[in-house]
Amino acid sequence: MKKCKLNKFSTVILILCAIILLGNFVSLFFLESHSSVSRVAFQIFETALMMFIIFIPNLLKRMVNIKVPHSMEVTFVAFGFSSLILGDVIDFYGKFAWWDSMLHAFSGILLGILGFSLINLFNKTEGGKIRFPALFVAIWVVCFALAIGACWEILEYCVDGILKLNTQQYLSTPGTFDASVPLVGHAALEDTMVDLILDFVGSVAIGVLGYFEIKKREKSQQQPKV
C-alpha cells in the first residue's frame, strides 16, 4: 500500500494540529468546570477532524482516482484550518465579527467549485457529447452548495444543544463559548440565515461561471470539424 504523501503546506498544518491536540489533551487534567471540559472536548474533536481533512485529497486519489490540483488542495486545507482551528479552537469567530461571514462567502465558492467538478465527472457521454444542459449544471452547483451549507448549520445546531456551545451565535454576546442570555426572534436567526445567504451568493457566482463554461463547450461541439 502506497503511503499518503503530503505537500509542505499540509505537513506544516498537520504538525500544528498535532501540537494543539496534545495541548488540549493535557489541559483536560487541569479543568474543573463542566463547561470548560465540554469546550476543550469539542476542540479536540475539531482538531482531530482537521487532521483527517488534510488527508482527504490523498484518499480521493487512492480510492477513486480523483487527482486534486495542488492549488485546490492548499486552498481546501487552508479553509479547513481557518474554519475549524482559527475559527473555533482559537476563537476567531468571537474575536473578529467578520471572520464567519468571510469564510461562509468563501465556502460558497469552494462548494460551488466542488459541485461543478463532481457533475463534470458525469457530464459526458461515450461519444464525448455533453449530457447535462448548462442551466441544469448551474442549478445543481447552487443546490449542492446550499445542501452542504444546510447540513453544516444542522451540525452546529446539534453541537450547541449537546455541548451547550454557541457556534450559531444565538447568545447576546459574540463568541463561541459564551454563557450569556440567548437572543430571541429575528436576532436569534441572523447568524444562520446570513451564513446560508453567503453560501448562496458564493455558489451562484460559480454557477454562473459554470453555465457559460458549458455553453462554450456546447458551442465548440456544434461547430463542424474541418
Side-chain angles (χ1 to χ4, degrees):
M1 184 179 293
K2 295 181 180 179
K3 294 182 179 180
C4 290
K5 187 176 180 180
L6 299 175
N7 59 55
K8 292 181 179 180
F9 178 79
S10 296
T11 301
V12 171
I13 296 299
L14 182 64
I15 293 172
L16 288 174
C17 289
I19 295 172
I20 293 172
L21 188 68
L22 179 61
N24 281 333
F25 267 121
V26 172
S27 68
L28 283 176
F29 295 98
F30 301 95
L31 299 175
E32 297 180 357
S33 66
H34 176 73
S35 60
S36 297
V37 172
S38 295
R39 172 183 177 178
V40 173
F42 186 60
Q43 288 179 345
I44 290 174
F45 167 76
E46 288 183 305
T47 307
L49 177 61
M50 182 64 226
M51 295 175 74
F52 170 74
I53 286 174
I54 292 172
F55 290 97
I56 288 180
N58 284 276
L59 293 175
L60 288 175
K61 183 178 180 180
R62 292 174 57 191
M63 298 176 67
V64 293
N65 199 30
I66 296 178
K67 186 177 180 180
V68 179
H70 176 73
S71 58
M72 288 189 65
E73 181 178 349
V74 170
T75 302
F76 177 71
V77 173
F79 177 80
F81 185 78
S82 299
S83 177
L84 294 174
I85 306 303
L86 295 180
D88 268 342
V89 176
I90 303 180
D91 201 24
F92 273 28
Y93 291 136
K95 296 174 182 177
F96 308 105
W98 48 267
W99 189 260
D100 184 56
S101 298
M102 179 194 70
L103 288 181
H104 271 279
F106 193 46
S107 71
I109 294 173
L110 285 179
L111 291 172
I113 292 173
L114 177 60
F116 184 72
S117 300
L118 288 175
I119 200 169
N120 265 340
L121 295 175
F122 309 98
N123 202 21
K124 284 186 178 180
T125 62
E126 293 182 0
K129 292 184 177 181
I130 293 175
R131 177 181 285 116
F132 305 119
L135 182 60
F136 175 84
V137 171
I139 294 174
W140 155 266
V141 167
V142 175
C143 290
F144 177 85
L146 282 178
I148 301 299
C151 289
W152 180 259
E153 295 301 324
I154 292 172
L155 176 62
E156 285 188 341
Y157 176 81
C158 293
V159 166
D160 287 346
I162 295 172
L163 299 179
K164 307 303 180 184
L165 302 179
N166 186 31
T167 62
Q168 289 195 307
Q169 304 297 315
Y170 65 94
L171 299 176
S172 58
T173 304
T176 305
F177 305 112
D178 295 318
S180 53
V181 179
L183 299 169
V184 295
H186 191 269
L189 297 173
E190 183 175 353
D191 179 76
T192 298
M193 296 311 302
V194 168
D195 289 349
L196 291 176
I197 290 170
L198 290 171
D199 288 340
F200 174 75
V201 171
S203 63
V204 165
I206 300 302
V208 171
L209 292 176
Y211 174 86
F212 287 110
E213 174 66 22
I214 299 299
K215 280 295 185 181
K216 182 180 178 180
R217 295 180 193 175
E218 291 176 343
K219 186 176 180 179
S220 65
Q221 289 181 352
Q222 292 172 358
Q223 292 177 349
K225 295 182 179 181
V226 179

